[in-house]
């Protein structure tokens, strides 16, 4: 089963993707994570995209389609791919369709996670991540069980993303409504769209995701 998690910044795509990886053995392909890894390892492409990402703008279709094509070529799909943060433009959506078709694979569902802007701001500005394993936390809604210690790996160092501030978030939201929201109609017309309410506790949202995938 290959699925797309579609939603604005802070909708909970990464959080729900981690659950699906743990519970169903699916493989998460997050273009945001791939781009951040390229920045950390200091590749030429990583340097190229750094300022664009910090500003909250989209990097080029060519770069992200290349990243996804590389992962699909590796072929380790396990129980299926979760596309998280990809596609984000109509050309990316067309490219994904072609890539999957060339591998004899299908897209089973596109899960749109709906969350209002006020909730997105508080989710984004409260987010932090474990430096060791990438586990995602929140100042209010998802604290580690032991203060300052990652539940998953025991790490003690955490980071906040450079684009998790109100100014970049405004740009990210604008880009979402302008470039990414047309994908809702695109996948609706293909009869692949499943819409869920992304508000509520993480477990409640996980149950809604499971509900649409299992019907
Ligand atoms: P990317 O990393 O994809 O960021 P994003 O789409 O803005 O999404 P986020 O990671 O911010 O949010 P999320 O929905 O995963 O939320 P999360 O689960 O963490 O992209 C970053 C940048 O890379 C882009 O701006 C762009 O520059 C570039 N890029 C990436 N892909 C690209 C592409 N395809 N094309 C062009 N450019 C691309 O949750 C957020 C917080 O809320 C967490 O703290 C979490 O604990 C908390 N939370 C989650 N669920 C709940 C809940 N139900 N209730 C309460 N709190 C919750």
């Amino acid at each position: 089963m290959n699925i797309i998690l579609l939603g604005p910044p802070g909708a909970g795509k990464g959080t729900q993707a981690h659950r699906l990886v743990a519970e169903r053995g699916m493989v998460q392909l997050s273009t945001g994570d791939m781009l951040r890894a390229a920045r950390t390892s200091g590749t030429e492409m990583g340097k190229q995209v750094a300022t664009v990402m910090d500003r909250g703008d989209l990097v080029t279709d060519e770069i992200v389609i290349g990243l996804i094509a590389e992962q699909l070529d590796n072929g380790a799909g396990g129980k299926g791919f979760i596309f998280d943060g990809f596609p984000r433009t109509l050309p990316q959506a067309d490219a994904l369709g072609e890539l999957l078709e060339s591998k004899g694979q299908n897209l089973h569902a596109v899960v749109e996670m709906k969350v209002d802007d006020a909730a997105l701001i508080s989710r984004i500005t409260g987010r932090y991540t474990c430096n060791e394993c990438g586990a995602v936390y929140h100042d209010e809604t998802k604290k580690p069980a032991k203060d300052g210690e990652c539940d998953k790996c025991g790490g003690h160092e955490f980071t906040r993303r450079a684009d998790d501030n109100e100014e970049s978030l405004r740009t990210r939201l604008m880009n979402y409504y302008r470039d990414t929201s047309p994908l809702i109609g695109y996948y609706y017309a293909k009869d692949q769209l499943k819409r869920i309410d992304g508000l509520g506790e993480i477990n409640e949202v996980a149950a809604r995701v499971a509900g649409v995938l299992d019907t």
Side-chain angles (χ1 to χ4, degrees):
M1 179 184 279
N2 298 312
I3 66 163
I4 294 173
L5 295 181
L6 183 67
K13 305 180 294 293
T15 301
Q16 297 303 328
H18 289 169
R19 297 272 301 235
L20 292 169
V21 168
E23 290 167 8
R24 299 184 182 223
M26 296 176 78
V27 174
Q28 177 192 16
L29 295 184
S30 157
T31 38
D33 287 349
M34 293 174 207
L35 292 165
R36 280 184 288 278
R39 290 179 62 166
T40 309
S41 57
T43 64
E44 203 41 53
M45 184 269 278
K47 288 181 201 156
Q48 242 183 62
V49 299
T51 356
V52 177
M53 290 178 76
D54 289 352
R55 225 174 34 225
D57 278 321
L58 294 183
V59 310
T60 64
D61 289 338
E62 193 188 356
I63 289 179
V64 289
I65 292 167
L67 289 170
I68 290 290
E70 210 175 291
Q71 295 296 320
L72 293 182
D73 278 345
N74 291 344
K79 303 265 173 61
F81 290 111
I82 307 157
F83 297 97
D84 163 9
F86 181 92
R88 254 175 159 98
T89 63
L90 291 167
Q92 291 180 24
D94 283 338
L96 178 61
E98 286 162 21
L99 282 167
L100 287 173
E101 198 183 335
S102 72
K103 309 265 172 230
Q105 295 209 38
N106 293 321
L107 190 58
H108 297 89
V110 178
V111 183
E112 184 205 351
M113 304 175 68
K114 286 175 70 70
V115 176
D116 62 58
D117 288 359
L120 296 175
I121 293 169
S122 101
R123 285 190 188 182
I124 288 290
T125 51
R127 170 169 55 186
Y128 58 98
T129 306
C130 171
N131 286 3
E132 282 296 312
C133 70
V136 179
Y137 296 96
H138 189 276
D139 290 329
E140 305 294 334
T141 58
K142 191 171 185 275
K143 299 180 187 177
K146 202 167 156 198
D147 199 23
E149 187 174 300
C150 177
D151 295 341
K152 213 167 147 196
C153 74
H156 292 94
E157 304 275 328
F158 299 88
T159 322
R160 288 181 195 264
R161 274 170 44 178
D163 58 345
D164 278 354
N165 59 73
E166 287 203 30
E167 197 187 336
S168 301
L169 179 60
R170 263 196 297 277
T171 308
R172 286 157 69 193
L173 278 174
M174 209 150 60
N175 289 332
Y176 178 78
Y177 292 120
R178 187 189 58 210
D179 297 320
T180 309
S181 65
L183 299 186
I184 296 167
Y186 178 97
Y187 287 115
Y188 174 78
K190 289 174 179 281
D191 204 20
Q192 288 172 316
L193 189 73
K194 314 273 182 194
R195 309 181 105 159
I196 64 155
D197 183 359
L199 279 173
E201 286 187 8
I202 291 170
N203 286 339
E204 286 170 352
V205 178
R208 290 179 203 137
V209 173
V212 299
L213 297 186
D214 294 336
T215 49

